[in-house]
Amino acid sequence: MAATLHDVAQRAGVSIKTVSNVVNDYPHVSAVTRAKVLEAIDELGYQPNLSARSLRSGRSGVIGLVLPELSLSYFAELADAVIARAEKHGLVVLVEKTGADRDREIAVLSSPRMRLTDGLIFSPLGMGQGDAPLLAVDYPMILLGERIFGGPVDHVTMRNVEAARAATEFLLDSGRRRIAVVGAHRGEVLGSAALRLQGYREALEAAGVDYDPALVSHTTLWHRSNGAESMRELIGAGVEFDAVFGLNDALTLGAMRVLQEEGLRIPDDVAVMGFDNIEEAQFAVPSLSTVDPGRTEIAETAVDLLVERLGGAAARPREPRELLVDFRVVARESAPEPARA
Amino acid sequence: MAATLHDVAQRAGVSIKTVSNVVNDYPHVSAVTRAKVLEAIDELGYQPNLSARSLRSGRSGVIGLVLPELSLSYFAELADAVIARAEKHGLVVLVEKTGADRDREIAVLSSPRMRLTDGLIFSPLGMGQGDAPLLAVDYPMILLGERIFGGPVDHVTMRNVEAARAATEFLLDSGRRRIAVVGAHRGEVLGSAALRLQGYREALEAAGVDYDPALVSHTTLWHRSNGAESMRELIGAGVEFDAVFGLNDALTLGAMRVLQEEGLRIPDDVAVMGFDNIEEAQFAVPSLSTVDPGRTEIAETAVDLLVERLGGAAARPREPRELLVDFRVVARESAPEPARA
DNA sequence: GTGAAAGCGCTAACAA
DNA sequence: TTGTTAGCGCTTTCAC
């Protein structure tokens, strides 16, 4: 049986409260008493019972992280960063995955299994703008992603439109004019796909290049296989293009693979640009030019904001906040830096 | 304020115990009472307080997963599978990462932050065989990986030696004789690197091919960059080889990239074989032949064993168990199936 | 089939 | 500076 505060108190010959004070670093404890207590703690191998502490204090020291899928590199790297940052605040992370399914996302918001977390970092992929009211939960929550804007909670996200626009401009600057897009979502107005496509269109327009819908291929998911498939379709349909902008890196890597199968040279025949800057992009063949959307900063900001919300009601901001992190275009072999005039 | 059992009982006009019975699906409750209670639960939006339940019952419904790093694809995919399987058992997963640091691994074993988990799935990378006694913790634990064997806990792992031997034999069968190895760990006797190297040597010996230490390159970590670096060293040293066996996929993909930078054709000049079968291997250029070590099965077995240990003491096996999952060699472009006689 | 009461281990008033 | 006491919300005997 594990030792309790009681056991420690008995052994040290003090009251349970004194032990509690020592354990919680309450300052007004005499050095002698403290030493006695610490010794007893050591001898008994005492470890506080977190369930009890949590029941009593209403705080568990656990935050929840809800993601579509951990096997997608983007989310794996995000989770890694969240866990690292949480640890700095003395918090541990409960990871839940939804498979990007709207119903499961909604369910998790009111799931009792999540009740033992102090707050949530929530990255939906199935829910949409219309579901925003559902985010008005009675615990602290930080929203990630670009499925819902202006909701009732803090929101940390990337500059999708601007970043996609910059990526497209990068390709335009290097002389490309027929830029195929991989990974659009049909009928989507918000969401990463729609926003990035919008950035693409803005860049074309600014450069006076006509938008050609034939260049835009649609997928449901954003895995490597979807990118590969889209690229086969584009090529099969005889669409001419001199560049590809993939709406995320996984898609783009899949597409790049098919380009090479087809004997197209990268970047000579086709320049390729991705989005996400996952670690893999750097070691692909050829290495993938992409947009670094500030993933680590998103993770860290999300944790920091959540911790703020967890703090005393006094320090807690009343209004939901919208935070945008910085991005940058990373030039690699698949789309080298254009020679600037 | 959230509703409690008490509130529900009051509203339904029954005792707190009856509500508890309904919540816990205790069978002997009359249909009328049950309906009344369920209605009250619904009206109040009652959600059980898991901290209280956990304090009282001694079980939290949370299991811990301790990994070196979530951003390594192998572990990300492992975590994904663990979370999926845990959910089937109604459990949620707390993920902790250690950065493969021995001290942090040891610390996490007795960390109070882990005390609110019912049990642990533990994948160390820094601890070694000598640390086996530290695994004798007083909560259920399942050990993964190949750093410690014959320890005091259940252990689920892959057939490293046999799988590496099969991979090497595959290369030998396709006529390769000078097989470079990427990712060995100097001085290691146990651990994935040592075991896989052993399999490599066994295959060579069985085929009557001499072992040449010059072909074996060493790394500390197993990231893409380490594989790339090793490959540059091998080539720089003028070592001749007609195949590469990378001790994991990430390493191998890094190495493969350098091979291509150097103008070597894969598999014509150099056949390449990895280990892990991460999703990326399938979409690399060229697609990577590799060993599927049964990652999903490892994850699922680990969760299932842990759940068994979580169960009543009656059903609990007394002796630590050692489980090995099946592997298979996956032939792709980087090392095609040899033409069998 | 249902109720009453005890207590899991801890924290936070309040007292001393 | 330290001790006493009352719960946090739930499960679990044990009666009825």
Side-chain angles (χ1 to χ4, degrees), chain A residues 15 17-18 28-30 33 55-56:
Chain A
S15 89
K17 172 63 164 102
T18 305
H28 305 297
V29 179
S30 78
T33 319
L55 171 59
R56 182 60 235 222

Side-chain angles (χ1 to χ4, degrees), chain A:
Chain A
M1 242 357 9
T4 73
L5 270 192
H6 225 95
D7 302 330
V8 176
Q10 202 156 22
R11 177 160 199 123
V14 299
S15 89
I16 178 176
K17 172 63 164 102
T18 305
V19 180
S20 174
N21 282 341
V22 172
V23 170
N24 294 298
D25 282 327
Y26 183 68
H28 305 297
V29 179
S30 78
V32 194
T33 319
R34 161 166 273 119
K36 240 186 343 191
V37 170
L38 286 176
E39 195 187 322
I41 285 179
D42 212 51
E43 285 170 8
L44 294 170
Y46 168 75
Q47 298 246 320
N49 178 319
L50 295 194
S51 297
R53 177 178 287 179
S54 154
L55 171 59
R56 182 60 235 222
S57 68
R59 303 236 346 228
S60 64
V62 181
I63 62 174
L65 174 65
V66 179
L67 296 175
E69 205 151 337
L70 215 44
S71 52
L72 293 175
S73 302
Y74 177 82
F75 291 111
E77 295 177 17
L78 183 74
D80 202 274
V82 164
I83 291 174
R85 187 62 156 207
E87 199 193 329
K88 286 211 167 52
H89 291 287
L91 299 167
V92 289
V93 181
L94 199 64
V95 182
E96 186 89 83
K97 59 170 208 152
T98 60
D101 180 71
R102 175 170 174 273
D103 293 338
R104 297 195 47 199
E105 286 170 357
I106 292 173
V108 89
L109 288 180
S110 55
S111 153
R113 291 157 64 217
M114 275 292 157
R115 296 300 287 187
L116 58 76
T117 61
D118 294 334
L120 220 55
I121 296 176
F122 184 52
S123 179
L125 215 53
M127 293 170 71
Q129 189 64 35
D131 297 316
L134 297 174
L135 298 179
V137 292
D138 60 355
Y139 48 84
M141 171 158 104
I142 310 294
L143 176 68
L144 302 185
E146 24 279 336
R147 299 288 306 173
I148 300 173
F149 287 88
V153 291
D154 287 346
H155 185 195
V156 184
T157 185
M158 54 184 72
R159 300 180 184 276
N160 279 283
V161 179
E162 294 91 329
R165 179 171 172 161
T168 309
E169 280 167 353
F170 183 98
L171 293 170
L172 289 166
D173 284 351
S174 57
R176 312 290 168 153
R177 283 299 172 273
R178 302 275 304 160
I179 304 174
V181 171
V182 174
H185 288 170
R186 211 175 287 281
E188 192 181 89
V189 183
L190 280 176
S192 313
L195 297 173
R196 293 175 195 172
L197 187 62
Q198 184 189 331
Y200 164 82
R201 294 189 66 161
E202 287 184 12
L204 290 187
E205 191 171 342
V209 176
D210 281 342
Y211 170 73
D212 179 358
L215 284 168
V216 177
S217 73
H218 299 260
T219 67
T220 44
L221 296 176
W222 273 7
H223 292 233
R224 289 181 190 78
S225 54
N226 303 292
E229 207 174 305
S230 284
M231 189 45 64
R232 281 199 200 91
E233 282 168 22
L234 279 173
I235 293 175
V239 178
E240 301 268 320
F241 53 86
D242 55 15
V244 172
F245 176 33
L247 299 188
N248 88 346
D249 281 349
L251 277 171
T252 314
L253 290 165
M256 196 156 73
R257 145 119 203 137
V258 170
L259 285 170
Q260 291 177 90
E261 282 173 1
E262 298 292 328
L264 291 160
R265 290 166 309 157
I266 301 170
D268 300 1
D269 299 327
V270 180
V272 179
M273 171 73 64
F275 198 112
D276 272 354
N277 197 24
I278 61 177
E279 197 205 338
E280 184 184 341
Q282 195 180 342
F283 292 93
V285 178
S287 61
L288 181 62
S289 297
T290 187
V291 177
D292 184 329
R295 180 182 49 250
T296 308
E297 197 187 337
I298 289 176
E300 295 180 349
T301 306
V303 174
D304 293 350
L305 288 185
L306 185 57
V307 167
E308 247 185 85
R309 295 266 174 209
L310 258 36
R316 199 175 302 161
R318 298 232 27 94
E319 289 301 309
R321 294 165 290 181
E322 196 90 14
L323 265 89
L324 289 166
V325 303
D326 287 332
F327 68 90
R328 70 196 165 90
V329 176
V330 181
R332 298 207 184 94
E333 294 163 357
S334 74
E337 193 80 49
R340 298 267 172 184

Side-chain angles (χ1 to χ4, degrees), chain B residues 124-148:
Chain B
L125 216 52
M127 293 171 71
Q129 189 64 36
D131 298 316
L134 297 174
L135 298 179
V137 292
D138 60 356
Y139 48 84
M141 171 159 105
I142 310 295
L143 176 69
L144 302 185
E146 24 279 334
R147 299 288 305 171
I148 299 173

Side-chain angles (χ1 to χ4, degrees), chain B residues 15 18 28-30 33 55-56:
Chain B
S15 89
T18 305
H28 305 297
V29 179
S30 77
T33 320
L55 171 60
R56 185 60 240 229

Side-chain angles (χ1 to χ4, degrees), chain B residues 29-43:
Chain B
V29 179
S30 77
V32 193
T33 320
R34 160 166 275 119
K36 240 186 343 191
V37 171
L38 286 176
E39 195 188 323
I41 285 179
D42 212 51
E43 286 171 8

